[in-house]
């Protein structure tokens, strides 16, 4: 359920990122399908193919989640294209709503998987450098730092065991 939704959301968010960057719907569709299907190319490797056969050749990300326990990582990866898109839009035309969106997307990635967040930061840094070299580098540096500070602030606040969020959620549910 949740993992399948994250896998589909990863393809959808990749489609929106690519359509924003390329302005070509066919290229965006091909790119998003590649995002979803390309990891399954590993089935051509003998041992991986034998492992996948036991799962009726589900998409590789689902097999990795079931067999290796990579569910949170895969869910975090699904939000990286959305995070990149929102960050790019925030750098080009900043609004408070876009800033909030990119911070929430980054926080979701961080709280899902630290490994996915490191990958996310790499991509955000790359987007920042490219955009800063285009124009208004100092303003974009401020936005980048705001995004990082707010992302870490919200994530650390939500991650804090002293909040006892699990107990509060169980109380209200």
């Amino acid at each position: 359920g949740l993992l399948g939704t994250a896998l589909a959301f990863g393809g959808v968010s990749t489609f929106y990122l690519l359509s924003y960057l390329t302005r070509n719907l066919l290229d965006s569709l091909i790119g998003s399908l590649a995002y979803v299907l390309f990891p399954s190319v590993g089935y051509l490797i003998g041992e991986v193919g034998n492992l996948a056969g036991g799962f009726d050749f589900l998409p590789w990300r689902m097999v990795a989640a079931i067999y290796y326990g990579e569910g949170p990582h895969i869910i975090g990866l699904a939000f990286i294209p959305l995070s990149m898109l929102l960050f790019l839009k925030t750098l080009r035309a900043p609004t408070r709503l876009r800033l909030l969106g990119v911070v929430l997307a980054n926080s979701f990635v961080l709280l899902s998987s630290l490994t996915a967040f490191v990958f996310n930061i790499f991509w955000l840094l790359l987007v920042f450098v490219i955009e800063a070299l285009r124009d208004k580098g100092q303003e974009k540096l401020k936005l980048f730092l705001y995004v990082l500070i707010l992302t870490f602030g919200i994530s650390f606040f939500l991650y804090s065991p002293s909040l006892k969020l699990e107990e509060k959620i169980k109380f209200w549910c």
Side-chain angles (χ1 to χ4, degrees):
L2 180 61
L3 189 61
T5 303
L7 186 61
F9 182 73
V12 170
S13 63
T14 301
F15 174 80
Y16 282 117
L17 173 65
L18 293 175
S19 65
Y20 180 76
L21 292 173
T22 65
R23 307 277 190 238
N24 186 323
L25 295 181
L26 181 61
D27 290 346
S28 303
L29 181 64
I30 291 169
S32 62
L33 286 174
Y35 173 85
V36 173
L37 299 175
F38 186 73
S40 297
V41 170
Y43 289 162
L44 301 175
I45 301 169
E47 245 349 272
V48 176
N50 293 338
L51 173 68
F55 292 98
D56 294 328
F57 296 98
L58 284 171
W60 175 250
R61 287 191 175 110
M62 303 229 2
V63 173
I66 294 166
Y67 193 75
Y68 298 110
E70 288 288 317
H73 177 69
I74 292 167
I75 291 170
L77 289 177
F79 278 83
I80 291 176
L82 176 66
S83 172
M84 288 175 55
L85 174 63
L86 292 172
F87 184 61
L88 186 58
K89 285 184 170 190
T90 301
L91 288 178
R92 290 183 177 175
T95 66
R96 289 182 178 156
L97 186 60
R98 287 181 177 165
L99 182 63
L100 177 66
V102 73
V103 166
L104 290 177
N106 286 339
S107 298
F108 191 81
V109 174
L110 177 58
L111 293 171
S112 298
S113 168
L114 187 57
T115 308
F117 185 71
V118 170
F119 185 66
N120 187 31
I121 288 295
F122 168 77
W123 285 110
L124 293 182
L125 184 61
L126 183 65
V127 168
F128 161 70
V129 168
I130 291 169
E131 286 297 310
L133 290 175
R134 289 180 66 206
D135 63 346
K136 301 179 183 175
Q138 287 183 334
E139 291 177 25
K140 292 180 180 181
L141 176 61
K142 286 180 187 177
L143 280 171
F144 182 61
L145 293 176
Y146 285 151
V147 166
L148 288 179
I149 290 168
L150 291 172
T151 296
F152 285 121
I154 288 174
S155 298
F156 293 158
F157 174 75
L158 292 174
Y159 192 71
S160 173
S162 64
L163 290 176
K164 301 179 182 176
L165 288 178
E166 288 181 17
E167 293 174 13
K168 292 176 184 173
I169 291 171
K170 287 178 186 175
F171 175 77
W172 291 106
C173 293

